[in-house]
Amino acid sequence: QVQLVESGGGSVQAGGSLRLSCVARGNLFSSYCMGWLRQSPGQGREGVAAIDSDGPASYADSVQGRFNISQDNAKNTLYLQMNTLKPEDTAVYYCAARADYCGSDWSDGLRFPYWGQGTQVTVSS
């Protein structure tokens, strides 16, 4: 089993920045895909960014150039640096993991069996 614990959400004005963290505990995988997905009220879960254990990252078009996903393997921690935030970025952000490499379906929430509890990000205009 893998436990994922997010932190770092909060409220910020448009144009501001936040950094989300996700600590992974338990039976971790040597090869994995970890991602950030978000859900706003009335909307489905949307893939934001994902990264392989080998390092390649993928981003949604809506956040490309503004968000950066990274990982610290020594700390078993995944990060999402969010810059130039927009009101449409308001959502609950979830950390998710699966025991294979990210592929073209990296943004499909159904492919991730492990999820954190979510952290709220609110961006005001």
Side-chain angles (χ1 to χ4, degrees):
Q1 279 287 37
V2 174
Q3 296 83 45
L4 304 173
V5 180
E6 303 106 332
S7 62
S11 297
V12 65
Q13 289 193 324
S17 298
L18 285 172
R19 189 177 80 155
L20 306 183
S21 299
C22 172
V23 177
R25 300 188 179 101
N27 297 325
L28 304 180
F29 321 118
S30 57
S31 301
Y32 58 80
C33 173
M34 291 193 71
W36 291 96
L37 297 92
R38 66 187 181 187
Q39 187 166 20
S40 34
Q43 302 295 318
R45 206 161 281 188
E46 173 193 20
V48 176
I51 190 167
D52 275 329
S53 47
D54 291 348
S58 300
Y59 295 91
D61 290 344
S62 59
V63 307
Q64 183 77 45
R66 299 188 298 122
F67 290 10
N68 184 66
I69 188 170
S70 62
Q71 57 190 336
D72 185 334
N73 292 332
K75 296 181 179 180
N76 294 330
T77 301
L78 180 74
Y79 301 100
L80 184 69
Q81 178 66 44
M82 305 185 293
N83 300 322
T84 320
L85 282 160
K86 304 176 180 179
E88 51 263 43
D89 294 319
T90 295
V92 177
Y93 283 71
Y94 297 90
C95 173
R98 70 191 211 206
D100 63 354
Y101 291 111
C102 302
S104 58
D105 61 352
W106 66 267
S107 61
D108 184 353
L110 295 177
R111 292 294 315 277
F112 290 90
Y114 302 104
W115 292 82
Q117 80 284 359
T119 185
Q120 176 71 46
V121 171
T122 302
V123 185
S124 57
S125 57

